[in-house]
Coordinates of all heavy atoms in Angstrom, one line a residue:
Chain R
A177 N 2.7 -3.5 -2.5 CA 3.4 -2.7 -3.5 C 3.1 -1.2 -3.3 O 4.0 -0.4 -3.3 CB 3.1 -3.2 -4.9
I178 N 1.9 -0.9 -3.1 CA 1.5 0.5 -2.9 C 2.0 1.0 -1.6 O 2.5 2.2 -1.5 CB 0.0 0.6 -3.0 CG1 -0.3 0.6 -4.5 CG2 -0.5 1.9 -2.3 CD1 -1.7 0.4 -4.8
R179 N 2.1 0.2 -0.6 CA 2.7 0.6 0.7 C 4.2 0.9 0.5 O 4.7 1.9 1.0 CB 2.5 -0.6 1.7 CG 3.2 -0.3 3.1 CD 3.2 -1.6 3.9 NE 4.1 -2.6 3.4 CZ 4.1 -3.9 3.7 NH1 3.3 -4.3 4.6 NH2 5.0 -4.7 3.2
E180 N 4.9 0.1 -0.3 CA 6.3 0.2 -0.4 C 6.7 1.3 -1.4 O 7.6 2.0 -1.1 CB 6.9 -1.1 -0.9 CG 6.8 -2.3 0.1 CD 7.4 -1.9 1.5 OE1 8.4 -1.2 1.5 OE2 6.8 -2.3 2.5
D181 N 6.0 1.5 -2.5 CA 6.4 2.5 -3.4 C 5.3 2.7 -4.4 O 5.1 2.0 -5.4 CB 7.7 2.1 -4.2 CG 8.3 3.3 -4.9 OD1 7.5 4.1 -5.4 OD2 9.5 3.3 -5.0
E182 N 4.5 3.8 -4.2 CA 3.4 4.1 -5.0 C 3.7 4.5 -6.4 O 3.1 4.0 -7.4 CB 2.7 5.3 -4.4 CG 1.2 5.2 -4.4 CD 0.6 6.3 -3.5 OE1 0.4 6.0 -2.3 OE2 0.3 7.4 -4.0
V183 N 4.8 5.2 -6.6 CA 5.2 5.7 -7.9 C 5.6 4.4 -8.8 O 5.2 4.3 -9.9 CB 6.4 6.6 -7.8 CG1 6.9 7.0 -9.2 CG2 6.0 7.9 -7.1
A184 N 6.4 3.5 -8.2 CA 6.8 2.3 -8.9 C 5.5 1.5 -9.3 O 5.4 1.0 -10.4 CB 7.8 1.5 -8.1
A185 N 4.6 1.4 -8.3 CA 3.4 0.6 -8.6 C 2.6 1.2 -9.7 O 2.1 0.5 -10.6 CB 2.5 0.5 -7.3
Q186 N 2.5 2.5 -9.7 CA 1.8 3.1 -10.8 C 2.5 3.0 -12.2 O 1.8 2.7 -13.2 CB 1.6 4.6 -10.5 CG 0.5 5.2 -11.4 CD 0.1 6.6 -11.0 OE1 0.7 7.3 -10.2 NE2 -1.0 7.1 -11.6
S187 N 3.8 3.0 -12.1 CA 4.5 2.8 -13.4 C 4.4 1.4 -13.9 O 4.8 1.1 -15.0 CB 6.0 3.2 -13.2 OG 6.7 2.1 -12.7
L188 N 3.9 0.5 -13.1 CA 3.7 -0.9 -13.5 C 2.2 -1.1 -13.7 O 1.7 -2.3 -13.6 CB 4.2 -1.9 -12.5 CG 5.7 -1.9 -12.3 CD1 6.2 -2.7 -11.1 CD2 6.4 -2.4 -13.6
G189 N 1.4 -0.1 -14.0 CA 0.1 -0.2 -14.4 C -1.0 -0.2 -13.4 O -2.1 -0.5 -13.6
K190 N -0.6 0.0 -12.1 CA -1.6 0.0 -11.0 C -2.1 1.4 -10.7 O -1.4 2.3 -10.9 CB -1.0 -0.7 -9.8 CG -0.2 -2.0 -10.0 CD -1.1 -3.0 -10.7 CE -0.3 -4.3 -11.1 NZ -1.0 -5.2 -11.9
N191 N -3.3 1.4 -10.2 CA -3.9 2.7 -9.9 C -4.0 2.9 -8.4 O -4.9 2.5 -7.7 CB -5.4 2.7 -10.5 CG -6.0 4.1 -10.2 OD1 -5.7 4.8 -9.3 ND2 -7.0 4.4 -11.1
P192 N -2.9 3.5 -7.8 CA -2.8 3.6 -6.4 C -4.0 4.3 -5.6 O -4.5 3.8 -4.6 CB -1.6 4.4 -6.1 CG -0.8 4.3 -7.4 CD -1.8 4.2 -8.5
S193 N -4.6 5.4 -6.2 CA -5.6 6.0 -5.4 C -6.9 5.2 -5.3 O -7.5 5.1 -4.2 CB -5.9 7.4 -6.0 OG -5.8 7.4 -7.4
K194 N -7.2 4.4 -6.3 CA -8.3 3.5 -6.3 C -8.1 2.4 -5.2 O -9.0 2.1 -4.5 CB -8.5 2.9 -7.7 CG -9.9 2.8 -8.1 CD -10.0 2.6 -9.6 CE -10.5 1.3 -10.0 NZ -10.5 1.1 -11.5
I195 N -6.9 1.9 -5.3 CA -6.6 0.8 -4.4 C -6.6 1.2 -2.9 O -7.1 0.6 -2.0 CB -5.4 0.1 -4.8 CG1 -5.6 -0.5 -6.2 CG2 -5.0 -1.0 -3.8 CD1 -4.3 -0.6 -7.0
R196 N -6.0 2.4 -2.7 CA -5.9 2.9 -1.3 C -7.3 3.2 -0.8 O -7.6 2.9 0.4 CB -5.1 4.3 -1.4 CG -3.6 4.2 -1.3 CD -2.9 5.4 -2.0 NE -3.1 6.6 -1.2 CZ -2.3 7.0 -0.3 NH1 -1.3 6.3 0.1 NH2 -2.5 8.1 0.3
L197 N -8.2 3.7 -1.7 CA -9.6 4.0 -1.2 C -10.3 2.6 -0.8 O -10.9 2.6 0.2 CB -10.3 4.7 -2.3 CG -11.8 5.1 -1.9 CD1 -11.8 6.1 -0.8 CD2 -12.5 5.8 -3.1
K198 N -10.1 1.6 -1.6 CA -10.7 0.3 -1.3 C -10.2 -0.2 0.0 O -11.0 -0.6 0.9 CB -10.3 -0.7 -2.4 CG -11.2 -0.6 -3.7 CD -10.8 -1.8 -4.6 CE -11.4 -1.6 -5.9 NZ -11.0 -2.6 -6.9
A199 N -8.9 -0.1 0.2 CA -8.3 -0.7 1.5 C -8.8 0.2 2.7 O -9.1 -0.4 3.8 CB -6.8 -0.7 1.4
F200 N -8.9 1.5 2.5 CA -9.4 2.3 3.5 C -10.8 2.0 3.9 O -11.2 1.9 5.1 CB -9.3 3.8 3.1 CG -9.5 4.8 4.2 CD1 -8.6 4.9 5.3 CD2 -10.6 5.6 4.2 CE1 -8.8 5.8 6.3 CE2 -10.8 6.5 5.2 CZ -9.9 6.6 6.3
V201 N -11.7 1.8 2.9 CA -13.1 1.6 3.2 C -13.3 0.2 3.8 O -14.0 0.1 4.9 CB -13.9 1.7 1.9 CG1 -15.3 1.1 2.1 CG2 -14.0 3.1 1.4
V202 N -12.6 -0.8 3.3 CA -12.8 -2.1 3.9 C -12.3 -2.2 5.4 O -12.9 -2.7 6.3 CB -12.1 -3.2 3.1 CG1 -12.0 -4.5 3.8 CG2 -12.8 -3.4 1.7
G203 N -11.1 -1.6 5.6 CA -10.6 -1.6 6.9 C -11.5 -0.8 7.9 O -11.7 -1.3 9.0
S204 N -12.1 0.3 7.4 CA -13.0 1.0 8.3 C -14.3 0.3 8.5 O -14.9 0.4 9.6 CB -13.3 2.4 7.6 OG -12.1 3.1 7.5
M205 N -14.7 -0.5 7.5 CA -16.0 -1.3 7.7 C -15.7 -2.3 8.8 O -16.6 -2.6 9.6 CB -16.3 -2.0 6.4 CG -17.0 -1.1 5.4 SD -17.3 -1.8 3.8 CE -18.7 -2.8 4.2
I206 N -14.5 -2.9 8.8 CA -14.2 -3.9 9.9 C -14.2 -3.2 11.2 O -14.7 -3.7 12.2 CB -12.9 -4.6 9.5 CG1 -13.0 -5.4 8.3 CG2 -12.4 -5.4 10.7 CD1 -11.8 -5.9 7.7
M207 N -13.6 -2.0 11.3 CA -13.7 -1.2 12.6 C -15.1 -0.9 13.0 O -15.5 -1.0 14.1 CB -13.0 0.1 12.4 CG -11.5 0.0 12.2 SD -10.8 1.6 11.7 CE -9.2 1.1 11.2
G208 N -15.9 -0.6 12.0 CA -17.3 -0.3 12.2 C -18.1 -1.5 12.8 O -18.9 -1.4 13.7
M209 N -17.7 -2.7 12.2 CA -18.4 -3.9 12.7 C -18.0 -4.1 14.2 O -18.8 -4.5 15.0 CB -18.0 -5.1 11.8 CG -18.8 -6.3 12.1 SD -18.3 -7.7 11.1 CE -19.1 -7.3 9.6
A210 N -16.7 -3.9 14.5 CA -16.3 -4.0 15.9 C -17.1 -3.1 16.8 O -17.5 -3.4 17.8 CB -14.8 -3.8 16.0
G211 N -17.3 -1.9 16.3 CA -18.0 -0.9 17.0 C -19.5 -1.3 17.3 O -20.0 -1.2 18.4
G212 N -20.0 -1.9 16.2 CA -21.4 -2.4 16.3 C -21.5 -3.5 17.4 O -22.5 -3.6 18.2
L213 N -20.6 -4.4 17.4 CA -20.6 -5.5 18.4 C -20.4 -4.9 19.8 O -21.0 -5.4 20.7 CB -19.4 -6.5 18.1 CG -19.7 -7.4 16.9 CD1 -18.4 -8.1 16.5 CD2 -20.8 -8.4 17.1
F214 N -19.5 -4.0 19.9 CA -19.2 -3.3 21.2 C -20.5 -2.7 21.8 O -20.9 -2.9 22.9 CB -18.1 -2.3 21.0 CG -17.7 -1.6 22.2 CD1 -16.7 -2.2 23.0 CD2 -18.2 -0.4 22.6 CE1 -16.2 -1.5 24.2 CE2 -17.8 0.3 23.8 CZ -16.8 -0.3 24.5
A215 N -21.2 -1.9 20.9 CA -22.4 -1.3 21.4 C -23.5 -2.3 21.7 O -24.2 -2.1 22.6 CB -22.9 -0.3 20.3
S216 N -23.5 -3.3 20.9 CA -24.6 -4.3 21.2 C -24.3 -5.1 22.5 O -25.2 -5.5 23.2 CB -24.9 -5.2 20.0 OG -24.0 -5.3 19.1
F217 N -23.0 -5.3 22.7 CA -22.7 -6.0 24.0 C -23.1 -5.3 25.2 O -23.6 -5.8 26.1 CB -21.2 -6.3 24.0 CG -20.7 -7.1 25.2 CD1 -21.2 -8.4 25.5 CD2 -19.9 -6.5 26.2 CE1 -20.8 -9.1 26.6 CE2 -19.5 -7.2 27.3 CZ -19.9 -8.5 27.5
Y218 N -22.9 -3.9 25.2 CA -23.3 -3.1 26.3 C -24.7 -2.6 26.2 O -25.2 -2.0 27.1 CB -22.3 -1.9 26.4 CG -21.0 -2.2 27.0 CD1 -19.8 -2.2 26.2 CD2 -20.8 -2.6 28.3 CE1 -18.6 -2.5 26.7 CE2 -19.6 -2.9 28.9 CZ -18.5 -2.9 28.1 OH -17.3 -3.2 28.6
A219 N -25.3 -2.8 25.0 CA -26.6 -2.3 24.7 C -26.6 -0.8 24.9 O -27.6 -0.2 25.3 CB -27.7 -2.9 25.5
F220 N -25.5 -0.2 24.6 CA -25.3 1.3 24.9 C -24.1 1.8 24.2 O -23.1 1.0 24.1 CB -25.2 1.4 26.5 CG -24.9 2.8 26.9 CD1 -25.8 3.8 26.8 CD2 -23.6 3.1 27.5 CE1 -25.6 5.1 27.3 CE2 -23.4 4.4 27.9 CZ -24.3 5.4 27.8
I221 N -24.1 3.0 23.8 CA -22.9 3.7 23.3 C -23.0 5.1 23.7 O -24.1 5.7 23.6 CB -22.7 3.4 21.8 CG1 -21.3 3.9 21.3 CG2 -23.8 4.2 21.0 CD1 -20.2 2.9 21.6
S222 N -21.9 5.7 24.0 CA -21.9 7.1 24.4 C -20.6 7.8 23.9 O -19.6 7.1 23.5 CB -22.0 7.3 25.9 OG -20.7 7.2 26.5
P223 N -20.5 9.1 23.8 CA -19.3 9.8 23.3 C -18.1 9.3 24.1 O -17.0 9.4 23.6 CB -19.6 11.3 23.6 CG -21.1 11.3 23.6 CD -21.6 10.1 24.2
Q224 N -18.3 8.9 25.4 CA -17.1 8.5 26.2 C -16.4 7.3 25.6 O -15.3 7.0 25.8 CB -17.7 8.0 27.5 CG -17.1 8.6 28.8 CD -16.5 10.0 28.6 OE1 -17.1 10.9 28.1 NE2 -15.3 10.2 29.2
D225 N -17.2 6.5 24.8 CA -16.6 5.3 24.2 C -15.8 5.6 22.9 O -15.2 4.7 22.3 CB -17.7 4.3 23.9 CG -18.5 3.8 25.1 OD1 -17.8 3.6 26.1 OD2 -19.7 3.8 25.1
V226 N -16.0 6.8 22.3 CA -15.3 7.0 21.0 C -14.3 8.2 21.1 O -14.2 9.0 20.2 CB -16.4 7.3 19.9 CG1 -17.2 6.0 19.7 CG2 -17.3 8.4 20.3
L227 N -13.7 8.3 22.3 CA -12.7 9.3 22.5 C -11.4 9.0 21.7 O -11.2 7.8 21.4 CB -12.3 9.5 24.0 CG -13.5 10.0 24.8 CD1 -13.1 9.9 26.3 CD2 -13.8 11.4 24.5
P228 N -10.5 10.0 21.4 CA -9.3 9.7 20.8 C -8.4 8.6 21.5 O -7.6 7.9 20.8 CB -8.5 11.0 20.8 CG -9.6 12.0 20.9 CD -10.7 11.4 21.7
T229 N -8.7 8.4 22.8 CA -7.9 7.4 23.5 C -8.2 6.0 22.9 O -7.3 5.1 23.0 CB -8.3 7.4 25.0 OG1 -9.7 7.4 25.1 CG2 -7.7 8.6 25.7
L230 N -9.4 5.8 22.3 CA -9.6 4.5 21.7 C -8.7 4.2 20.5 O -8.1 3.2 20.4 CB -11.1 4.4 21.3 CG -11.5 3.1 20.5 CD1 -11.4 1.9 21.4 CD2 -12.8 3.3 19.8
T231 N -8.6 5.3 19.7 CA -7.6 5.2 18.6 C -6.2 4.9 19.1 O -5.5 4.0 18.5 CB -7.6 6.5 17.8 OG1 -8.9 6.9 17.4 CG2 -6.7 6.5 16.6
F232 N -5.8 5.5 20.2 CA -4.5 5.3 20.7 C -4.3 3.8 21.2 O -3.3 3.2 20.9 CB -4.4 6.3 21.9 CG -3.2 6.1 22.8 CD1 -1.9 6.5 22.3 CD2 -3.3 5.5 24.0 CE1 -0.8 6.3 23.2 CE2 -2.2 5.4 24.9 CZ -0.9 5.7 24.4
Q233 N -5.4 3.3 21.8 CA -5.3 1.9 22.3 C -5.2 0.9 21.1 O -4.4 0.0 21.1 CB -6.5 1.5 23.1 CG -6.5 2.2 24.5 CD -7.8 2.0 25.2 OE1 -8.9 2.0 24.6 NE2 -7.8 1.8 26.5
I234 N -6.0 1.2 20.1 CA -6.0 0.3 19.0 C -4.6 0.3 18.3 O -4.1 -0.8 17.9 CB -7.1 0.7 18.0 CG1 -8.5 0.7 18.6 CG2 -7.1 -0.2 16.7 CD1 -9.1 -0.7 18.8
W235 N -4.0 1.5 18.2 CA -2.7 1.6 17.6 C -1.7 0.9 18.4 O -0.8 0.2 17.9 CB -2.3 3.1 17.4 CG -2.7 3.6 16.0 CD1 -3.8 4.3 15.7 CD2 -2.0 3.4 14.8 NE1 -3.8 4.6 14.4 CE2 -2.7 4.1 13.8 CE3 -0.8 2.8 14.5 CZ2 -2.2 4.1 12.5 CZ3 -0.3 2.8 13.2 CH2 -1.1 3.5 12.2
A236 N -1.8 1.0 19.7 CA -0.8 0.4 20.6 C -0.9 -1.1 20.4 O 0.2 -1.8 20.3 CB -1.1 0.7 22.1
M237 N -2.1 -1.7 20.3 CA -2.2 -3.1 20.1 C -1.6 -3.6 18.8 O -0.9 -4.6 18.8 CB -3.7 -3.5 20.0 CG -4.4 -3.3 21.4 SD -6.2 -3.2 21.3 CE -6.6 -3.0 23.1
L238 N -1.7 -2.8 17.7 CA -1.1 -3.2 16.4 C 0.4 -3.1 16.5 O 1.1 -4.0 16.0 CB -1.7 -2.3 15.3 CG -1.2 -2.7 13.9 CD1 -1.5 -4.1 13.6 CD2 -1.8 -1.8 12.9
I239 N 0.9 -2.0 17.1 CA 2.3 -1.8 17.1 C 3.0 -2.9 17.9 O 4.0 -3.5 17.5 CB 2.7 -0.4 17.6 CG1 2.3 0.6 16.6 CG2 4.2 -0.3 18.0 CD1 2.3 2.0 17.2
V240 N 2.4 -3.2 19.1 CA 3.0 -4.3 19.9 C 2.9 -5.7 19.2 O 3.8 -6.4 19.2 CB 2.3 -4.3 21.3 CG1 2.7 -5.5 22.1 CG2 2.7 -3.1 22.1
G241 N 1.8 -5.9 18.6 CA 1.6 -7.2 18.0 C 2.4 -7.4 16.8 O 3.0 -8.5 16.6
G242 N 2.5 -6.4 15.9 CA 3.3 -6.5 14.7 C 2.5 -6.1 13.5 O 1.7 -6.9 13.0
A243 N 2.7 -4.9 13.0 CA 2.0 -4.4 11.8 C 2.3 -5.3 10.6 O 3.4 -5.7 10.4 CB 2.4 -3.0 11.5
G244 N 1.3 -5.7 9.9 CA 1.4 -6.6 8.7 C 1.2 -8.0 9.0 O 1.2 -8.8 8.1
N245 N 1.0 -8.4 10.3 CA 0.8 -9.8 10.7 C -0.5 -9.9 11.4 O -0.7 -9.3 12.5 CB 2.0 -10.2 11.5 CG 1.9 -11.7 11.9 OD1 0.8 -12.2 12.1 ND2 3.0 -12.3 12.0
N246 N -1.5 -10.5 10.8 CA -2.8 -10.6 11.5 C -2.8 -11.4 12.8 O -3.5 -11.0 13.7 CB -3.8 -11.2 10.5 CG -4.3 -10.3 9.4 OD1 -4.3 -9.1 9.6 ND2 -4.5 -10.8 8.2
K247 N -2.0 -12.4 12.9 CA -1.9 -13.1 14.1 C -1.4 -12.2 15.2 O -1.8 -12.2 16.4 CB -1.0 -14.4 14.0 CG -1.7 -15.5 13.3 CD -1.0 -16.8 13.6 CE -1.4 -18.0 12.8 NZ -0.9 -17.9 11.4
G248 N -0.3 -11.5 14.8 CA 0.3 -10.5 15.7 C -0.7 -9.5 16.2 O -0.7 -9.1 17.4
A249 N -1.6 -9.0 15.2 CA -2.5 -8.0 15.6 C -3.5 -8.5 16.7 O -3.8 -7.8 17.7 CB -3.3 -7.6 14.4
I250 N -3.9 -9.8 16.6 CA -4.8 -10.3 17.6 C -4.0 -10.5 18.9 O -4.5 -10.2 20.0 CB -5.4 -11.7 17.1 CG1 -6.3 -11.4 15.9 CG2 -6.2 -12.4 18.2 CD1 -6.8 -12.7 15.2
A251 N -2.8 -11.0 18.8 CA -2.0 -11.2 20.0 C -1.8 -9.9 20.7 O -1.9 -9.8 22.0 CB -0.7 -11.9 19.7
G252 N -1.4 -8.9 19.9 CA -1.1 -7.6 20.5 C -2.4 -7.0 21.2 O -2.2 -6.4 22.3
T253 N -3.6 -7.3 20.7 CA -4.8 -6.8 21.4 C -4.9 -7.5 22.7 O -5.2 -6.8 23.7 CB -6.0 -7.2 20.5 OG1 -5.8 -6.8 19.2 CG2 -7.3 -6.6 21.1
F254 N -4.7 -8.8 22.8 CA -4.9 -9.4 24.1 C -3.8 -9.0 25.1 O -4.1 -8.8 26.3 CB -4.9 -11.0 23.9 CG -6.3 -11.5 23.5 CD1 -6.7 -11.4 22.2 CD2 -7.2 -12.0 24.4 CE1 -7.9 -11.9 21.8 CE2 -8.4 -12.4 24.0 CZ -8.8 -12.4 22.7
I255 N -2.6 -8.8 24.6 CA -1.5 -8.3 25.5 C -1.8 -6.9 26.0 O -1.8 -6.7 27.2 CB -0.2 -8.4 24.7 CG1 0.2 -9.8 24.4 CG2 0.9 -7.6 25.6 CD1 1.4 -9.9 23.5

Side-chain angles (χ1 to χ4, degrees):
Chain R
I178 283 167
R179 178 191 70 194
E180 295 303 323
D181 195 325
E182 218 167 275
V183 173
Q186 194 169 14
S187 82
L188 294 170
K190 312 303 175 187
N191 184 336
S193 33
K194 218 159 114 185
I195 297 151
R196 278 154 67 89
L197 184 61
K198 279 187 190 174
F200 189 68
V201 169
V202 169
S204 300
M205 285 173 79
I206 293 169
M207 293 167 193
M209 190 182 282
L213 287 168
F214 183 85
S216 16
F217 181 64
Y218 285 110
F220 176 68
I221 189 80
S222 82
Q224 232 31 44
D225 300 317
V226 295
L227 293 171
T229 47
L230 174 68
T231 304
F232 171 75
Q233 287 170 324
I234 302 281
W235 267 98
M237 291 162 180
L238 182 58
I239 289 167
V240 167
N245 184 327
N246 284 327
K247 282 199 192 79
I250 295 173
T253 310
F254 279 81
I255 291 167

